Amino acid sequence: GVILCGVILAESAVLAYSWYTRQHDNDFTCVASLSQHYNNESYNVSLNYMVRGNSGVINMNGYSEEDPGRIFNRKISFTLHRKGDLNYMVSVKNIKFPDDNLDDEVLSQYEPDFFVFAGKEIYMRILKQRNDNYLFMLDSIPTYICNNISETR
C-alpha cells in the first residue's frame, strides 16, 4: 500500500512537471534592434519582448536619425493566441512615457498600428532558431531577429 502510494505520488509529480514545462516552454524574453525607413526619414528602433503564457509586454523606443530630438518610448501590453509558430496578437494598452514626443500618426507611418494604438491586431510568425534567438516574420517576410535574453532553466 505504501509503495503504491509512493509510485502514484512520484508519477503525479512527473506529470505535473511535464505539464508545467510544456505550458511555459513558449515563454521568452528577447531584444531586437532595427531601422525603419519611410520617405526621407529613418528611425532607430529597439524592441524588448517579454512573453508569458497568453500575454506579453513590449518596451519599444527609438529616435529619428535625421532629428534625434524626435523620440518615442512606449510600453505595449498585448494578448496572444498561438497556432504553431503563428501568433495572433492584440494590443491591450499602449503607454507613452514622458520623453515620448512623437505623434501617433507619425509613428504609425513606420510601425504597424499594433505598436501604436490599443485594440489593434497583428499576425506574426515567431520562429525559435537553433541558437535560441527568435526570427519575427510579417506576411512571410523576415522582419527582425530578436536576441534571447531569457533566464536559463
Side-chain angles (χ1 to χ4, degrees):
V2 172
I3 293 173
L4 181 59
C5 187
V7 169
I8 291 172
L9 283 174
E11 190 64 30
S12 296
V14 168
L15 289 173
Y17 177 76
S18 175
W19 176 83
Y20 176 81
T21 55
R22 203 170 41 253
Q23 291 299 106
H24 296 279
D25 206 27
N26 291 325
D27 293 355
F28 64 92
T29 303
C30 67
V31 175
S33 296
L34 56 137
S35 188
Q36 298 284 80
H37 307 282
Y38 184 78
N39 286 340
N40 295 324
E41 197 161 19
S42 299
Y43 280 85
N44 289 319
V45 181
S46 176
L47 299 166
N48 183 328
Y49 284 84
M50 185 177 76
V51 175
R52 299 289 180 267
N54 293 324
S55 63
V57 174
I58 303 167
N59 290 310
M60 178 180 78
N61 59 64
Y63 62 91
S64 166
E65 287 183 17
E66 290 71 26
D67 182 1
R70 292 173 60 131
I71 296 169
F72 59 93
N73 187 4
R74 298 170 185 223
K75 182 175 281 198
I76 302 120
S77 62
F78 61 92
T79 59
L80 172 71
H81 300 283
R82 296 181 174 109
K83 186 161 180 122
D85 56 17
L86 187 62
N87 296 267
Y88 171 69
M89 300 156 62
V90 179
S91 55
V92 175
K93 191 181 289 187
N94 190 312
I95 299 169
K96 289 175 80 168
F97 288 100
D99 62 338
D100 186 317
N101 60 20
L102 202 61
D103 290 337
D104 291 346
E105 291 70 31
V106 173
L107 187 58
S108 69
Q109 294 174 353
Y110 298 86
E111 299 294 337
D113 284 349
F114 168 83
F115 293 97
V116 183
F117 306 103
K120 297 296 181 179
E121 62 187 40
I122 194 168
Y123 284 92
M124 291 185 126
R125 193 167 299 280
I126 303 174
L127 301 170
K128 188 169 186 178
Q129 305 296 289
R130 281 188 224 148
N131 61 3
D132 286 339
N133 292 331
Y134 297 88
L135 173 63
F136 280 65
M137 300 174 70
L138 290 172
D139 298 327
S140 302
I141 299 168
T143 309
Y144 49 85
I145 294 284
C146 198
N147 297 303
N148 184 0
I149 57 171
S150 296
E151 57 284 346
T152 56
R153 282 185 249 178

